[in-house]
Amino acid sequence: MKDNDPTTRYTAILTLAMTGMRKGEMMGITWNDLDFKAKSITINKARTRTGLGPPKSDNGYRKVSMNNELYSQLKIYKAWCIKKKWENSMP
């Protein structure tokens, strides 16, 4: 996966594998939910078929730690997203 799509799919699979979060929870994460200083991710919402909503249960509200590998990959992914945003805004 890392060789074929080192940015988007690999980041998603690594995030799911390293944190144990559900797919909908991962899809609900925004940049504000990532704390790169504390190396943690706050899970407080989930994406469903109808949009963003609360996690499946009360235990779904939580903070998970990032290990160094996930931390590095998320930093790479954020830089890639910013680059793509700038590329797409150019005429």
Side-chain angles (χ1 to χ4, degrees):
M1 178 64 72
K2 190 174 183 179
D3 292 336
N4 294 331
D5 186 0
T7 309
T8 54
R9 289 186 184 129
Y10 178 70
T11 302
I13 301 250
L14 187 67
T15 301
L16 291 171
M18 296 290 183
T19 62
M21 68 177 76
R22 296 177 178 97
K23 182 177 71 169
E25 292 171 337
M26 182 195 66
M27 291 170 50
I29 291 173
T30 63
W31 292 118
N32 292 331
D33 298 326
L34 300 177
D35 185 347
F36 286 107
K37 289 182 183 175
K39 291 188 177 179
S40 66
I41 303 170
T42 300
I43 301 169
N44 54 16
K45 58 193 165 301
R47 183 164 300 281
T48 64
R49 290 183 189 111
T50 59
L52 281 179
K56 252 178 144 173
S57 69
D58 288 340
N59 291 334
Y61 293 94
R62 62 196 186 280
K63 191 175 279 199
V64 294
S65 298
M66 294 184 236
N67 65 11
N68 290 333
E69 183 179 1
L70 180 59
Y71 170 82
S72 297
Q73 185 62 34
L74 287 172
K75 293 288 270 186
I76 290 167
Y77 181 64
K78 185 172 185 178
W80 179 85
C81 288
I82 292 168
K83 180 181 174 214
K84 286 294 182 187
K85 183 177 180 180
W86 279 103
E87 286 174 0
N88 291 337
S89 68
M90 298 292 175

